[in-house]
Amino acid sequence: MAEKMGILGRKLGMTRIFDGAGAAVPVTVIEAGPCPVTQVKTLATDGYNAVQIALTAAKEKHTTKPLRGHLAKAGKGLFRHLREIRLEGAPEQELGQEFTVAMFAAGDKVKVTGTSVGKGYQGRMRRWNFAGSKDTHGCEKVHRNNGSVGNNTFPGHVFKGRKMAGHWGNETVTELGLTIVDVRPEDNVILVKGSVPGPKNGLVLIRKQ
């Protein structure tokens, strides 16, 4: 699915600001960009239209030789994080062009993609919000158990997708409809109202909706 242009950033944490009416607005502070274009893909050469952007300068010893050769074409140095954004039409961006927070404005609706906080291995009640068994008589030491999950002789196995205990979190999550409250180009900072996925210092991709 083709996407609108965006920018990479890091989630710094939360704070609050006051609007014109004096109301406190909770916001997430994201330090974003500048993100240079490190590759431009077109329908003719790659089969689809896309732009690759980069973030976080890296030392030469922390990069591979193929990556150094790839990034040398843009002439912007070495970077740790690369992300590709698909586009509807032919890319208008040029190799080496930089994107900054100035591409956004207060009031814009954006979607933010990040990796959710990992919760480790969790039981079925916490992972899937199950109610559990009753706490009155007739129930002994099975209050948080899975209960019956199998089948009869046919098919004789547990179906895939059954909601059971397992790893929770640490997944790619996209939150839609978030609002940009303020943009501060001098600090490369965006203030976003809404649920931004990921932990502090987590990498996020902010795209226009």
Side-chain angles (χ1 to χ4, degrees), residues 9-13 28-31 196-204:
R10 286 199 173 275
K11 177 180 175 180
L12 300 184
T28 299
V29 182
I30 300 175
E31 183 181 17
V196 175
K200 288 183 179 180
N201 295 319
L203 188 69
V204 293

Side-chain angles (χ1 to χ4, degrees), residues 143-162:
H143 303 89
R144 301 180 68 88
N145 281 15
N146 276 354
S148 177
V149 296
N151 298 277
N152 213 324
T153 305
F154 178 81
H157 64 86
V158 179
F159 288 116
K160 287 185 179 180
R162 176 75 69 180

Side-chain angles (χ1 to χ4, degrees), residues 163-176:
K163 292 181 178 179
M164 301 177 70
H167 191 268
W168 185 32
N170 196 33
E171 297 176 328
T172 300
V173 176
T174 299
E175 292 287 347
L176 306 176

Side-chain angles (χ1 to χ4, degrees), residues 49-127:
N49 299 312
V51 169
Q52 185 188 78
I53 58 177
L55 183 71
T56 309
K59 296 180 180 179
E60 183 175 344
K61 66 178 181 179
H62 293 154
T63 57
T64 63
K65 190 173 182 180
L67 181 61
R68 292 196 292 269
H70 173 71
L71 294 175
K73 299 174 184 177
K76 290 293 183 177
L78 302 177
F79 295 91
R80 183 176 300 175
H81 303 293
L82 303 176
R83 291 294 184 274
E84 188 177 284
I85 302 174
R86 288 205 179 197
L87 303 174
E88 288 279 2
E92 300 176 357
Q93 295 77 15
E94 298 179 357
L95 201 63
Q97 177 183 344
E98 287 191 344
F99 293 105
T100 66
V101 295
M103 65 191 297
F104 299 101
D108 285 352
K109 292 290 184 181
V110 295
K111 55 185 175 181
V112 180
T113 301
T115 303
S116 63
V117 177
K119 304 291 185 179
Y121 192 92
Q122 299 296 333
R124 192 164 73 159
M125 287 181 67
R126 187 175 183 211
R127 189 184 184 199

